[in-house]
Amino acid sequence: MAVSCDSMLQKIFAKSPAFDSNKRIFGKPGSISGGAISCNERNLKSKGKIAVKAAAEADVMGLKNHEVNLDLGFDVVAERELREKGFLGMRKTKLVCTIGPACCSLEDLERLAIRGMNVARLNMCHNTREWHRDAIRKIKKLNEAKGFSVSVMIDTEGSLIHVVDHGVPSSVKAEEGSVWVFTSQKFEGSRPFTVQANYQGFSEGIMVGDELVIDGGMARFEVVERMGNDLHCKCTDPGLFLPRAKLSFWRDGKLSYHGLPTLSPKDWADVDFGISEGVDFIAMSFVNDADSVKDLKNYLFAKTSKSIRVLAKIETLESLQKLEEIVEASDGIMVARGDLGVEVPFEKIPTVQEDITRLCRQMNKPVIIASQLLESMVEYPTPTRAEVADVSEAVRQYADALMLSGESAIGLHGQKALSVLQMASSRMELWSREENQQSALHNCQLGGSLSDCIAEEICSCAVQMANNLGVDAIFVYTKHGEMASLLSRNRPYPPIFAFTSDSDARMALNLQWGVIPLLVDLSDDMEANISKTIDLMRTNGMVKEGEAVLVVSDLTATHATSTTFQSIQVKTIV
């Protein structure tokens, strides 16, 4: 059973955002008292006899002064952006940066955080666990000491064959016609025209005439001879070997080797490392079905009380064929276009990306667009115009986040690349709002229970109200972040400020489009929560007189064992 609020909004806002005392709310007459419009509660009972109350209020009386004793956990970057640009000027698309040798110092990490890094990604293919531990602790130190709120993600290696070492810390050039030896033999230092692979059995099943592709097309070779477990390969398409470059083998236009299991023994050790270091996200590489995602989530549930979110990387044909079940099982998706582009014709990548992005929004799962967004900025200080257009298209599709890979990890201009993402996404978001693009979004019903359906409808109505009324911000008071996520799904014009007392939820919401998560102590008294938080923001100059905020809550009073109270309110600052 679903309860629709659309009729309420049509009645209230049919012709004008002004309120009319004769309108009906939730099918019952509204009443005016002291300048406020409210509706009587509507009791709905499901088969489980759980009562759910839904209320909507528009309070234009302003807020009374309330004694402030609540610390507001505001990210310093979001606070600065709010002060400089106002509510509607705040960036909604989140930014993920891969941390590598080019940006691993405390100073470099701070510069990335200042420029808007929401999530720091650590690729476990690279460097040692000690190196990653040091980077994670630097990020957490910055969060604690400087007031940032940067989440940490580790990325598993997965079923991947890659270069162990080609002898130099940066890229090397493979010239056309040159012959290279690919081997699993371990050696120190460098050998000319010799590449060491990470997996002992990498050459099993490979035949003379097969094609070897480097990093999805950075360079190509033809296998010309087998010598034991070694392969002699001639370069047919010259290009670069980047550190830890990925190898894939092709025969007659199809992959001839599919690599290791989704999670190798090394990956499980890396997962344990992530648990011990308290990371916020684990991204699984080369996911081919939902079972591997479920296995990892069950493992995390049994191993730690911290809520670590699991993201599935979509980068194989198998993952596309089982996309819906993978999205449903995951806590989010990363579209790894580089590896996906090896298996999918490159001309199909734009539509595949859009389809994945749309499905994730429909299923209320955050989606990251990754790989080669600003690839030229690994070496050059400015992007190509085509790259900026690519970034803008991902923003237009309402992707939750954009990710830098080599641009930040090993690039010469990582901070500039991040600034390009920030500027391009902000510009496209402004254009989308001016063009009223959100009006074209339609969402399917997710929840099966009555309470879930009501929560979805309340969030859908809240966003429509916020857009119609032109409020400056949406404030959501949420226990575990679900209500904030549902609001984000509807892509409202104003930013969403999510107040939660759950630190894990706060860090997870760093990936949600348009959500600014704040860690606060919340009580059962919603009016006290609202008054305290708004009064503190006003005291610190973050809200101004005359601004209006729409307030949504999914908090449940501790004494109410079988009742959920959810509400929508609109408040003006006085």
Side-chain angles (χ1 to χ4, degrees), residues 6 16 40-41 54 78 97 122 129 159 166 176 271 277 309 318 339 355 366 377 386 438 490 509 521 529 532 553 568:
D6 289 341
S16 170
N40 298 324
E41 69 181 46
C97 295
L122 298 162
R129 291 197 187 103
S159 53
H166 53 50
E176 185 173 5
V271 167
E277 293 301 317
R309 270 60 173 187
E318 289 88 345
D339 290 295
D355 289 344
M377 293 192 74
Q438 279 97 330
N490 288 277
L509 288 171
D521 291 325
N529 289 332
K532 289 177 180 180
S553 171
I568 305 173

Side-chain angles (χ1 to χ4, degrees), residues 27-196:
K28 294 189 176 184
S31 61
I32 298 181
S33 175
I37 298 179
S38 63
C39 70
N40 298 324
E41 69 181 46
R42 180 181 181 183
N43 293 323
L44 300 169
K45 294 186 177 181
S46 65
K47 293 181 180 181
K49 305 297 182 182
I50 298 177
V52 181
K53 302 176 182 178
E57 296 179 326
D59 181 358
V60 294
M61 294 182 293
L63 299 174
K64 296 180 180 179
N65 289 330
H66 198 289
E67 182 181 353
V68 176
N69 57 9
L70 186 65
D71 182 29
L72 192 62
F74 214 120
D75 174 66
V76 292
V77 177
E79 180 178 344
R80 182 194 64 191
E81 190 174 34
L82 175 57
R83 292 180 188 277
E84 293 177 354
K85 300 181 180 180
F87 285 116
L88 293 181
M90 301 188 74
R91 170 177 49 85
K92 297 180 173 65
T93 306
K94 300 305 178 73
L95 305 179
V96 183
C97 295
T98 302
I99 307 305
C103 62
C104 61
S105 71
L106 192 64
E107 294 75 19
D108 286 332
L109 291 170
E110 182 173 358
R111 292 187 188 102
L112 291 176
I114 289 172
R115 283 169 169 77
M117 175 175 64
N118 300 108
V119 179
R121 168 187 177 248
L122 298 162
N123 190 343
M124 301 306 290
C125 288
H126 306 279
N127 302 305
T128 64
R129 291 197 187 103
E130 289 70 26
W131 187 95
H132 290 297
R133 180 179 291 109
D134 179 64
I136 291 171
R137 293 183 180 181
K138 285 176 181 174
I139 294 163
K140 293 190 174 185
K141 179 180 179 180
L142 284 173
N143 286 345
E144 295 172 4
K146 297 296 183 71
F148 296 111
S149 176
V150 177
S151 301
V152 177
M153 173 193 299
I154 63 169
D155 197 321
T156 65
E157 188 171 312
S159 53
L160 174 68
I161 307 173
H162 61 78
V163 174
V164 171
D165 186 10
H166 53 50
V168 295
S170 59
S171 59
V172 292
K173 183 72 177 292
E175 301 287 354
E176 185 173 5
S178 59
V179 177
W180 293 66
V181 176
F182 289 79
T183 180
S184 59
Q185 178 186 351
K186 295 182 179 180
F187 57 85
E188 297 295 330
S190 62
R191 294 181 183 177
F193 300 103
T194 303
V195 175
Q196 182 183 352

